[in-house]
Amino acid sequence: MNWKQKVNSALGEFTGFHLAKIGGEAGPAQAPEPAEVRPPADARTDRLLRAPVFVMSPVRSGSTLLRALLNAHPLLHAPHELHVRRLKVDFGTSLAERAMHALGHNQADLEHLLWDRVLHRELLRSGKSHIVDKTPANAFAWERISTCWPDARFVFLLRHPVSIARSWHEADPVKRTADEAAADALRYMKAVQRARKGLTGLTVRYEDLTAAPETEVRKICEYLAIPYEPGMLKYGEQTVLTKGLGDWKDKIRSGAVQPGRDLPADDDVPDLLRPMCERWGYLSS
């Protein structure tokens, strides 16, 4: 992959857009967001899912651990990262577009129907009653997700920003330097913070989750209005451990909550991350 492809790939990851050469060979460019995004006309008929749960978190913040804990509950199905917001609808022809508009559907409506159907099918196959999606990139589309499912519930998972940046660098030190990892991870942190300001939900910290897992999991169960299950803390072997779909490191393979790393010293916080550390309560201003 040359530098142009890398830049275009990064642009697509963080904005949902790709650059394409006019008149050149067509590539896998993401379609732009629809101009009009709106709630379902009738949630009773337009949505099969009821009250889906979304974990909003930066990369490398412990979301795979939280997913595993939640998935161990008999009522919660928390699969690997699903990336449903990347699924797009194309009318194909103006006649198809006119036909759909006559039914009251614009592009965003149809995409929302698709997202809802995919998640609902996954939930039905699991035999459980509530689905949980923990894709970190969902934080960039929190407005779209909350519009698609007005009854959605949100769990915000935070972690010390320096720990996030270090873990993101360690995940692929060849792909990004420590400074690049910090800047990259900060994009996710800012997106999660915007979601926290715009949505109502429960905030959980990775450090608390690893130090007192039962206490934190009980809080989540209470928020979701489901009974706590002691078996959640021994989540067992994971069926999907693949880079790009969740954590794949040794800790998550252990099947039980492992202690988190020591918190960084205040003096080790780079200037780039200090504002976010202060905003999230990890650093005194």
Side-chain angles (χ1 to χ4, degrees):
M1 180 182 293
N2 60 35
W3 70 269
K4 293 181 180 179
Q5 292 172 318
K6 290 180 179 179
V7 170
N8 210 18
S9 176
L11 181 66
E13 174 64 22
F14 297 114
T15 69
F17 296 87
H18 284 81
L19 298 178
K21 184 178 180 181
I22 297 177
E25 184 178 354
Q30 290 276 349
E33 287 293 316
E36 183 181 5
V37 177
R38 57 196 182 187
D42 184 347
R44 295 171 300 173
T45 58
D46 292 352
R47 295 294 177 268
L48 298 176
L49 277 182
R50 294 292 178 262
V53 181
F54 293 91
V55 175
M56 294 288 183
S57 67
V59 291
R60 310 304 301 176
S61 59
S63 61
T64 299
L65 170 62
L66 180 55
R67 182 205 67 76
L69 292 167
L70 297 179
N71 193 55
H73 195 289
L75 298 180
L76 298 176
H77 179 49
H80 59 78
E81 296 171 13
L82 298 175
H83 302 274
V84 292
R85 79 178 186 94
R86 294 295 193 182
L87 302 180
K88 301 292 183 181
V89 167
D90 186 349
F91 289 113
T93 67
S94 60
L95 185 58
E97 183 174 4
R98 287 167 52 197
M100 291 300 101
H101 283 176
L103 293 178
H105 303 311
N106 65 17
Q107 181 187 347
D109 297 334
L110 295 174
E111 289 176 353
H112 291 171
L113 288 172
L114 172 61
W115 299 356
D116 184 73
R117 183 65 180 88
V118 169
L119 291 185
H120 185 258
R121 176 182 182 272
E122 179 61 24
L123 179 61
L124 287 183
R125 293 178 68 214
S126 74
K128 297 186 178 184
S129 54
H130 307 284
I131 195 162
V132 181
D133 183 13
K134 70 89 170 176
T135 308
N138 280 345
F140 294 103
W142 66 267
E143 291 176 291
R144 185 86 188 265
I145 288 171
S146 61
T147 302
C148 177
W149 293 283
D151 62 347
R153 295 168 291 176
F154 299 93
V155 176
F156 305 105
L157 180 62
L158 308 185
R159 188 183 183 185
H160 195 299
V162 175
S163 297
I164 291 174
R166 288 176 178 172
S167 183
W168 193 222
H169 169 59
E170 293 164 2
D172 198 338
V174 175
K175 183 177 181 179
R176 47 190 167 257
T177 66
D179 289 342
E180 290 170 340
D184 197 7
L186 185 59
R187 296 174 184 265
Y188 286 86
M189 299 179 216
K190 289 180 176 179
V192 170
Q193 184 59 22
R194 289 193 292 269
R196 291 181 72 207
K197 292 179 64 176
L199 300 170
T200 300
L202 176 70
T203 296
V204 177
R205 294 179 184 273
Y206 171 77
E207 293 83 5
D208 296 334
L209 186 64
T210 54
E214 180 177 340
T215 299
E216 297 307 305
V217 171
R218 282 184 179 275
K219 289 179 183 177
I220 297 172
C221 288
E222 181 179 359
Y223 168 67
L224 299 179
I226 59 175
Y228 168 73
E229 292 285 341
M232 297 173 72
L233 301 185
K234 295 290 185 180
Y235 56 81
E237 184 178 355
Q238 300 302 292
T239 57
V240 178
L241 291 173
T242 305
K243 186 175 181 180
L245 300 182
D247 195 359
W248 68 101
K249 301 296 186 178
D250 290 340
K251 274 190 176 182
I252 200 67
R253 295 178 185 276
S254 69
V257 180
Q258 301 296 310
R261 67 172 75 191
D262 293 337
L263 287 180
D266 288 356
D267 291 342
D268 292 334
V269 177
D271 291 342
L272 179 67
L273 298 178
R274 293 189 77 85
M276 191 60 69
C277 288
E278 293 173 358
R279 189 169 293 118
W280 284 0
Y282 288 102
L283 188 65
S284 301
S285 56

